[in-house]
Amino acid sequence: AEQFRALGLRYRMEMPAEDNAGSGQGGSWASTLSAQTRAAAEEKLIKLGYRWQWQQDGGLVTQTPVLPAVKRLSGGAESFYNQVLAASLGWQSAAREGQPPVTFGDESLIPRAAIEVLIELAKRFTQPLAWQKGDISLVDNHRLIHGRYPYRGNTNRQVVVCLAREAAND
């Protein structure tokens, strides 16, 4: 826990040239960055402080600056607020060089044992929702990890997502 707090995290993401609905990440660089051209994408990446490399197939590999793994919430509580589990378990290795999609901020590897502890904690505290038509779920992403199991039901379902943000001090 102290390593996560002290070192922060870096994420590497591989964004394809075209949208890929079959991928966990799915969005092309144009969709992900809301950019129509490489120049516009690079402008956004510069503003975000990312490093990047264009791939021969038109895809893009990015690396974030060091981001915090722990967030201090209003009232002083701390939240393990990051995407370590999603990145470790579902993202494709970046740059096709086998580099992990997430490392500590100093680019050292996160020990597999640490990932295993996080997986076990997530399993222990998972509370599946028994969805029924018309249900609504509100999730505070700063206090809870959310996810979903593979869906095997009616493919004509409709899922609507709305994001909200506090006006001040978030």
Side-chain angles (χ1 to χ4, degrees):
E2 190 52 42
Q3 278 185 291
F4 283 105
R5 181 181 286 106
L7 298 175
L9 301 165
R10 287 183 187 265
Y11 299 93
R12 288 182 181 89
M13 291 163 275
E14 185 172 331
M15 298 176 222
E18 303 290 329
D19 287 335
N20 177 0
S23 164
Q25 289 166 276
S28 67
W29 59 264
S31 296
T32 302
L33 297 170
S34 298
Q36 299 303 311
T37 65
R38 284 187 176 204
E42 289 178 5
E43 186 176 318
K44 285 197 172 190
L45 293 168
I46 288 168
K47 286 180 183 176
L48 292 168
Y50 280 39
R51 292 186 274 186
W52 69 88
Q53 181 177 16
W54 292 102
Q55 304 297 294
Q56 287 184 341
D57 65 1
L60 176 66
V61 175
T62 64
Q63 183 183 36
T64 68
V66 178
L67 300 173
V70 177
K71 179 177 184 168
R72 184 162 303 279
L73 304 175
S74 59
E78 289 184 325
S79 175
F80 190 67
Y81 182 73
N82 56 65
Q83 295 189 35
V84 169
L85 282 177
S88 298
L89 299 175
W91 293 6
Q92 300 169 6
S93 290
R96 299 174 196 131
E97 298 166 7
Q99 293 190 22
V102 62
T103 62
F104 283 121
D106 64 359
E107 299 190 44
S108 62
L109 296 178
I110 299 171
R112 185 65 197 172
I115 301 299
E116 295 296 333
V117 167
L118 294 173
I119 291 168
E120 184 55 39
L121 287 170
K123 284 181 183 176
R124 184 184 324 161
F125 293 107
T126 294
Q127 293 292 320
L129 299 176
W131 288 97
Q132 296 179 24
K133 185 175 182 172
D135 281 355
I136 296 173
S137 175
L138 299 175
V139 178
D140 182 342
N141 285 335
H142 297 226
R143 298 184 184 274
L144 300 171
I145 296 173
H146 71 280
R148 52 202 142 281
Y149 296 109
Y151 182 72
R152 292 184 177 84
N154 181 344
T155 58
N156 294 324
R157 74 182 181 147
Q158 180 181 17
V159 178
V160 178
V161 177
C162 180
L163 302 176
R165 180 179 174 151
E166 290 182 45
N169 298 336
D170 66 334

